[in-house]
Amino acid sequence: MTVIKAGTVFPVAPADAGASLGARYRAGMAGLGRAQKPGEGVPAYTRWVNRRLARYAAAAGYALGWTPNMMTAASAAFSAVAIALLIAVPAGPATGVAIAVLLAVGYLLDSADGQVARLQGSGSPAGEWLDHVVDAIRTPAIHVAVLVGFWAMGQPAWVLAVTLAYCLVSVAQFMSQILAEQLARSAKIPPPPPSGNRQSFVLIPTDTGTFCWMFLLWGFPPAFVAAYTIMFLLNAVHSAVSMRRKYQKLRRPRVA
C-alpha cells in the first residue's frame, strides 16, 4: 500500500515526448534516486527490498507512459491470479512457489504505483482512494482463499478458526492505520519521531513481503499451518499494541 498526497511531486524533469524508452527510463530512475520516502520504522522487507525493486518497475512504467492506476490494476491482477490458485489448484510445492511469486510481484507493483504518481506529478485523492480500495479487497481476499484451501485439505476446525481470526486482525489493523493517519492529520497531531533501524527488524513478522513469501510453504501443509499460526499470533499482539498506542495518541487534547 502506498499513500500519496495530492500534488506531491518528485524533482524530476520529464523526458521529452520523443525521447527513447531508455532515456525515459533513465530519467525516471534519476528522479526516484534523488527523492525517496524515509524508511525509519518501515518493516525490513518493504524498506530494503520491496521499495528498491519497485523503483525499477516504476521507472519502467514511467518510460512506457503507464498511469498510476494502470500500475494499481496490474498489482491487483497479479494478486487475483494468486488468489485463484489458492482456491482452484491443489496445494503443492510448485503451486506454492507460483503463489508466493505472484503475491510478491503484486506487492511490488502496489509500491510502484505511488512512485509513478510522484514522477508524473499525477498524485490525486482519487488515485489514493483506488489504491486503498484495492488493498481493502486484497487483504481479506487472501485469507478467505487460504480458508478455502485449508478446507479443501481437510484441516481441523481450529486451523479454520485461526484463518478467520487472522482475516479479522488484518482488516482491523488496515482500518486502524488508515483512519488514524487521517484523523491525526485533521487534528494536526504531529507524527511520532523516527524509530530507527531496529524497529524495521522488529516488524518483520508484520511485513506484507514476509507474508507473501510464506506461501513457499503452501505445498507442505504442516509447515505452512505452523508458520501461518505463528504469524497470526505475532500480528495479533502487534495490532493490539499498535491500536492502543493510536488510541492514546488521538485522545490527547488538541494543541491550539
Side-chain angles (χ1 to χ4, degrees), residues 194-219:
S195 53
N197 293 342
R198 180 181 178 183
Q199 185 73 359
S200 293
F201 290 104
V202 170
L203 292 176
I204 285 176
T206 71
D207 198 324
T208 302
T210 304
F211 182 76
C212 293
W213 289 111
M214 180 179 64
F215 284 88
L216 290 173
L217 300 174
W218 183 246

Side-chain angles (χ1 to χ4, degrees), residues 172-192 242-243 245-250:
Q173 177 62 16
F174 176 80
M175 183 64 181
S176 170
Q177 181 69 29
I178 296 301
L179 189 56
E181 290 175 359
Q182 297 299 323
L183 292 174
R185 190 181 306 159
S186 64
K188 299 181 180 179
I189 298 174
S242 174
M243 289 179 188
R245 185 183 299 120
K246 288 178 173 60
Y247 178 76
Q248 294 294 335
K249 175 182 176 181
L250 292 170

